[in-house]
Amino acid sequence: MKKQYRVTLHAHATAVVFVEASDGQEANRLAYKEAEAGRVKPLRIKPEQWTAVMTIDMNGPRA
């Protein structure tokens, strides 16, 4: 019998952003701002680049 699962997927890379920053934390913040402003074009992701990072059995016991 088949069960229902919720699977969260993560791609190895969905976009590349080049920013100038003094450290990695600032670079992350600036890249997020670029994405928020719509100046980031997503890369095409091939099916083999997706990875399951979380799988939940929706038929299991609920708390």
Side-chain angles (χ1 to χ4, degrees), residues 14-17 30-43:
T14 57
V16 175
V17 181
L30 292 173
Y32 181 79
K33 279 188 170 184
E34 290 292 305
E36 209 173 35
R39 293 188 289 263
V40 175
K41 293 184 181 178
L43 300 172

Side-chain angles (χ1 to χ4, degrees), residues 11-37:
H12 295 291
T14 57
V16 175
V17 181
F18 294 96
V19 295
E20 291 186 16
S22 58
D23 59 24
Q25 188 174 10
E26 182 185 9
N28 291 344
R29 185 178 54 77
L30 292 173
Y32 181 79
K33 279 188 170 184
E34 290 292 305
E36 209 173 35

Side-chain angles (χ1 to χ4, degrees), residues 1-5 56-62:
M1 184 168 129
K2 293 186 179 181
K3 296 180 179 181
Q4 184 180 26
Y5 291 90
I56 298 171
D57 182 349
M58 299 301 288
N59 300 294
R62 302 240 161 82

